[in-house]
Amino acid sequence: MFVRTYAGAISGIDAVAVSVEVDITGGGLGMYLVGLPDNAVKESEQRIRAAFGNSGERMSGRKVVVNLAPADLRKEGSGFDLPIAVGILAAMERVAAGAVADTMFVGELSLDGSLKPVRGVLPLAIRARDAGLRRIVLPADNAAEAAVVEGVEVLGAESLREVIDCLNGVTEIAPGRPAAGEDAAFPGTCYGEDFADVKGQGHAKRALEIAAAGGHNVILVGSPGSGKTMLARRLPTILPPLTPEEALETTKIHSVAGKIAAAGGLMTRRPFRAPHHLTSQVALIGGGQSPSPGEVSLAHNGVLFLDELPEFGRSVLEVLRQPLEERRVVVSRARYSVEYPANFILVAAMNPCPCGYYNHPARECVCSPGTVHRYMGRISGPLMDRIDLHVEVTPVAPAELAAAAPGEPSAAIRERVVRARGMQAERFRNLPGVHTNAMMNSAMLAEYCRLDAASAALLERAMERLALSARAYDRIRRVARTIADLAGRGRIGASDVAEAINYRSLDRGGWGQ
């Protein structure tokens, strides 16, 4: 008997519908699995046989051929166990064939017949809906994650026996429900950190406000203990709340990477990723033998924090060039080519020199000028050009630390950021894929970042004196546009350009000399 049911395969952060075709014939013995399966899929035969025996079922004694179509798409992972098992049972007439015709099945089988959770169920549920399927059956632990997708019924089962009984009408499985909580009720506001905890550092907090408003990359340079990490970890608290589209896309990435919490549901907070400086290129960018999103994609719609930037390998830092410019990552290998989104704000932090006290107001630096210069040279010029804001973070005086008055809370800063983002949304409403000032290309800069005579003259003098690159010239105009947006001004003024120039401190020829 021939039966067809449905599964799904992950490609990038999206899913592809896979037809599971099962045919049981009289000649030969055993199970033959075709359709470009990887080792995990090939091993499903042994898991299915054991699960059948422990669920009160028996494998057919005749030849079983299972085809996973399209046959030229590589199938990876253990999530094909359940659809193959159900397809075999339907072909053996142990399950009604009509009950599996409009259903996608996803799940890994344990030897005792229980269902184990798999990663990537959110894009799979979206694909099931878009393919016109009525429902998706998956492990109970994945039900809340998949249930955020409207238009498809989600059934979370504990075991193969429960799936069989449901398909035969013996029992019913309650439809899955998305997780709900305080984070869903107040998106973007429930954080453990707050800018009110930061004493002083007005210059650095202003720079991070500009970075949040315009989506600009920023580097914090300061001595140990000056508050660089504390400031960076609070940047997500002043970013606008995730929109439903951003929340869905962000959750898809984390679902494919297997990073969704057990409670499931849509992510409501901006992601904050802080990889260690020993992170490899593959871990940062993504890919691998079984392709998976890297840190730059896990930080999509959020913040990527690289602490102790010079300690990262130079080859690791250089792979950041493309995602910083194109807001996406294309990983091409001999067996596959995948694309992951990577629209994040980069926050880097570093000491000004090996000893950490260059330009310190109270402690003396013991590094020679050449040592400081070599230390800063660990970061290439092209990478530094892609960072809009260079901020020196100086230690806070003890008297200011002892002050009882808290700083400005994140909620107040976030209101200004949201207003500035609103101006940008109106500005770029007819430009798909452009949402912030940091995403403007040369043509947009010419249209939206026009400078008056005084501003143009000021920027020209800065270019000459600081020996800035052409890319830095564009970065300054983008930052000036954001500063004007925060002030609610339609035109860029000389004061906006002056403040933007002030955030290119590492371009100054005297640094480290």
Side-chain angles (χ1 to χ4, degrees), residues 6 39 191 224 385 404 444 507:
Y6 297 96
N39 287 335
Y191 290 92
D385 273 348
M444 299 174 197
D507 290 331

Side-chain angles (χ1 to χ4, degrees), residues 25-26 60 74 107 115 145 172 195 320 384 397-398 439 488 504:
T25 61
S60 172
R74 188 170 182 83
L115 289 176
E145 179 184 341
E172 292 186 356
F195 265 101
L320 287 172
M384 192 64 75
M439 302 174 73
R504 302 299 301 185

Side-chain angles (χ1 to χ4, degrees), residues 324-339:
L324 287 175
E325 285 290 335
E326 300 183 9
R327 312 283 174 170
R328 65 188 180 97
V329 172
V330 178
V331 182
S332 296
R333 296 290 186 269
R335 293 192 297 111
Y336 64 82
S337 179
V338 295
E339 179 178 325

Side-chain angles (χ1 to χ4, degrees), residues 382-407:
L383 178 60
M384 192 64 75
D385 273 348
R386 288 168 169 81
I387 300 177
D388 302 340
L389 303 167
H390 306 167
V391 184
E392 291 187 63
V393 182
T394 56
V396 180
E400 196 168 1
L401 284 174

